[in-house]
Amino acid sequence: MNPLRAVPFVAVAIVLAGVLISGPLVPGVDFTRVRETESGLDSLGSGNITVDNATLPDGAVLQQGNYGSGTYRLLVPDATVDVKSYTGRPIISYAIDIDEIGYSRNSIRILVNETDGRLSLPLEEDTLDKGQLDKDEYGAQLTLLTRAGGNETVVASRNVTVEVRS
Amino acid sequence: MSVLDGNEAVQRWYGHTREFRASIKHLIFGDDRGLALFLGSLCFFMLYWRIGIFITDSNAIATTLFNVADGHLSLVTAPYGSGLGAPGTYVSDGTVYGRNYGVVFAALPLLWLLEGAAAIADVPIVLVGLWCLLVIAWAATLARLFDRPPILVGGSIVATGVFLGSLTLATPLAPLARPVIALQLLTMIATALSGVVLYRLLAAMHDRRLGLFAGTAALVATPLGFWASLPKRHAYTVLFLLVTAFALYRSRTADSGEQAVRYRALAYAAVGLLAWVHAAEALLVFIVLVLVDVPTAESNDRRTVGLVAGAFLLSLVPFFLTNVLISWNPIEPPRLLPSYGSPSGSGLAGGSGPSGGFFSNNPAGRIIARGLSIFFALGSNLFEGAVVLTTDATRVVQTFVRSGFIPEVAADESGLAISLTVVESAPLLAGVVGLPIVVARHVRSNGLGRVRKHLGTPAGAVDAFALGTALLFTLLYMPRLPLHAQVTVRYLHPVFALGIYGVARLAVTQGVVGDHWRAALWTYAGSVLIGGQLVVAFLAITGPTLSEAVQFHALLSLATATILGLWVLGAAVSDAVPRVYGAVAFALAAGAGTLFLLLSGLDYFDYAGEYMLPVVRVVTDAVVLA
């Protein structure tokens, strides 16, 4: 008999056996686990932090999207800051507010096990749609702040212009 | 006992079931090709099966199933989404009800199976195991069809590999996911069966190859595949509609009068069951069916009509019963009741019928009044659709040709431009541009008499039914299109299946499928496997937003649709247009449709839930395009 003919039967047997083993008939085996659990969320924003020399970009851009999708990408250059020292897990937050259209967004950076020094903070890209925009430029405010040990400190803040480009 | 001994025992037992299996196969799938199409498309749909809720009104259906499984029609507990406030819940006499009860009751056995399986195994592993067994069964069917045993060996090895890999990657599922899983499984089965019925219809009309082209294309290159695992009612509309078309054809070609009556009864029974899912759509199909069937039937003697009407009424019993239990009116389905949550529905609820005297005091009077109001509402809705279709070119274009950013639609969709048009979602449908030419030439050379004669043939009856339902569905929903939360104009879902039917009915298509199918298959494989990689690489480099990615597919589809449309027009007019170009045009359009299914299912809309196949989840987590 051709041994290859047994392959499908073995395959079916393996699948059925695996299914049965996964159940309560065979105790102690569990194939399903919750993965990527974020531990230590409580300690976020704890400790303290000292920063220096914060710089914010002098403008941002709303770039029109492709394929007639009517979307605009909000592109904000990185902010930079010197971290002198820190303890615990403090947070640095980088935010943009475009009050005219009621838009605000921020990105946070959690400091943990990082070497002290100059940090570059990106503001994650976001999209707005055509329906929200009717002007060529908007006034916006950029803010960099730290959160540590229950204190929120504004490190730098700047009024900039967001240019709408097509 | 060695593996081989057990193997022989299993084979003996398998042999005993041969007759039973053969009759099931014959009854449902027609033959091995139908079975292979069914199994293969299920495996395909499950690749991008995300367990979860994609559109908020599916919460209402899951809630309904949860409560029906608990023993009550009304919604007592609402564990999904925004609870009772989810769109798709209705109030009668102070009690809240769901909708699509036909789907809910059909999903009940699947839910029981899942609950039973959960008692002896872990549900996520059961589902992965199911997929692997389906792959093995598919491979076995293909091996038998082509007489190539290695296909079965290869399929078994792939399935075992995926299964063992999944064991190391699986994540748990909450018991609350089971009603959703049951609904999703049922929708996938219904969608796969739609392809099978389309295959059987065209195989009976022409040949198996054309049937396979139509069945496969409808499932893997049109939005039928997009909504296969997303539990919306549209999949059932398509299935029942195609069953009616198939039964209509068979009733005209049956060997005996007895068989003809049986198929005619089936055509009406399918409509009756559709009413249990969505009454307004069933009413529409019923109107077209009567208009096509009665004048063209071989005989309308008292016995035949009695049997057919009896079968139809019998198929309506579950619909009537459910309505009586909910609203005390057998022809008032939940959809016509006042909404509990946010307003939605088919727009037929607002019709006004006669009132006062007999129509208000007598129960029969109330039923008649409701029936008249439904007819008036349907009539005015269709008329309104006709007005939009003939006068509002912008909306017609935004529904059928080019979507892009439509402010009114985007406003209800968090500013996204992710609702495509009919051709953007299924470029193969561009082939229907050949239909008017064929009809016009027919009329010019043979006069209207020839067309009338064609309508009297079995195929002509199905043609008229397909054209009529496609038109009425368009008119029914045109007053509301273009609309948000459609992605692929899902309200016109039947149009995709009927459109593929129409394209397959073209002589030029039959020529390509008959003579150049190898070229078409190779081009299709190339456009999906190689073209697909190019698209993925391009999107990975340019990093589009969700709207951009979807609109990129829209333009890609329009480009292939244009090529196909031009070729069909050319080929229909002149024999000088090379037929092999048609194979390429069809394959590119089908490839664009498949790519949208795969990339939207595996990447753009991965937020619709957790991937059933853990292996797929790991891959899609690694590659993020939009």
Side-chain angles (χ1 to χ4, degrees), chain B residues 468-501:
Chain B
T469 40
L471 183 68
L472 285 200
F473 265 88
T474 307
L475 294 183
L476 180 67
Y477 289 113
M478 209 54 225
R480 301 172 67 195
L481 294 170
L483 190 66
H484 65 280
Q486 293 278 314
V487 189
T488 66
V489 210
R490 61 188 166 86
Y491 279 173
L492 299 185
H493 219 43
V495 169
F496 293 105
L498 297 169
I500 293 291
Y501 168 82

Side-chain angles (χ1 to χ4, degrees), chain B residues 188-240:
Chain B
M188 283 188 270
I189 292 170
T191 307
L193 283 178
S194 303
V196 172
V197 178
L198 195 56
Y199 155 69
R200 293 186 65 181
L201 175 63
L202 283 157
M205 251 181 213
H206 297 274
D207 57 37
R208 288 165 168 173
R209 194 171 286 153
L210 190 73
L212 274 182
F213 157 75
T216 314
L219 295 184
V220 305
T222 79
L224 263 61
F226 184 91
W227 295 97
S229 55
L230 307 171
K232 298 294 300 171
R233 66 161 195 278
H234 314 287
Y236 308 94
T237 311
V238 170
L239 176 61
F240 288 124

Side-chain angles (χ1 to χ4, degrees), chain B residues 356-442:
Chain B
F358 168 73
F359 292 114
S360 301
N361 304 326
N362 190 303
R366 275 203 297 274
I367 294 173
I368 293 170
R370 200 69 182 111
L372 287 173
S373 85
I374 290 169
F375 259 102
F376 287 142
L378 184 67
S380 72
N381 200 315
L382 294 177
F383 179 75
E384 201 188 327
V387 169
V388 174
L389 198 62
T390 47
T391 61
D392 200 335
T394 315
R395 280 172 69 184
V396 173
V397 168
Q398 286 174 344
T399 302
F400 289 95
V401 188
R402 174 70 185 130
S403 58
F405 182 83
I406 305 168
E408 302 81 36
V409 176
D412 288 325
E413 216 149 34
S414 349
L416 296 170
I418 55 169
S419 279
L420 300 177
T421 63
V422 170
V423 175
E424 282 171 351
S425 357
L428 269 181
L429 254 60
V432 297
V433 296
L435 286 175
I437 296 197
V438 172
V439 174
R441 288 177 111 199
H442 238 62

Side-chain angles (χ1 to χ4, degrees), chain B residues 272-356:
Chain B
L273 288 176
L274 175 58
W276 204 16
V277 177
H278 193 292
E281 296 188 344
L283 179 59
L284 212 72
V285 179
F286 177 72
I287 293 171
V288 180
L289 178 59
V290 170
L291 287 179
V292 171
D293 172 61
V294 175
T296 62
E298 193 147 295
S299 82
N300 287 310
D301 58 79
R302 201 176 297 167
R303 186 176 163 277
T304 310
V305 172
L307 281 171
V308 171
F312 182 52
L313 285 177
L314 204 63
S315 70
L316 282 169
V317 165
F319 168 69
F320 289 150
L321 264 183
T322 311
N323 295 343
V324 166
L325 287 175
I326 291 175
S327 66
W328 290 106
N329 185 339
I331 58 165
E332 177 143 43
R335 230 171 240 277
L336 294 185
L337 296 170
S339 285
Y340 178 86
S342 47
S344 69
S346 57
L348 299 189
S352 58
S355 59

